[in-house]
Amino acid sequence: MDALSPCTCFQLRRASRRTSQVYDHHLAAADLSLNAYSILRRAREPRPLGTLADALGMDRTTLTRNLKPLIAAGLLSSQPGEDPRQRQVHITAKGKRRLQKAQPLWQQAQDEIEALFGSAHVAALNQQLEALSVALEAESHA
């Protein structure tokens, strides 16, 4: 393995790619990627596009690109919001069924990561990553 990189972004992205591979492998049985699964989970209630993008940590353009195949597959719906300039995104009945099929597969991936890294390490990592996200979000609005 390469020497430890001092670049936080590199370390996060490399770990993220490897972690995503584990989840994608399990979720493939439900014909979903981790990205699609995450979007479906956060669209269980109708949400404005911007709010959904914020919840996912994505910009609106990236989210819009990721929504297209989910809408085309009938897993999500997009409708005008109270403000006609705003779009509301929510899961469809078909999307709910797919999410229900995927949830135990996601849990298998979660269990695999915890078995590899340890439950205490996973919990601590999640706390640290949440704190980092909060700090970066606060900085971006300052």
Side-chain angles (χ1 to χ4, degrees), residues 76-91:
L76 289 176
S77 173
S78 174
Q79 301 157 337
E82 291 177 20
D83 179 340
R85 297 170 294 169
Q86 192 177 63
R87 302 294 297 171
Q88 293 273 347
V89 177
H90 67 92
I91 196 167

Side-chain angles (χ1 to χ4, degrees), residues 17-30:
R17 283 190 290 271
R18 289 181 175 159
T19 303
S20 293
Q21 290 170 357
V22 171
Y23 283 86
D24 284 340
H25 172 76
H26 285 277
L27 290 168

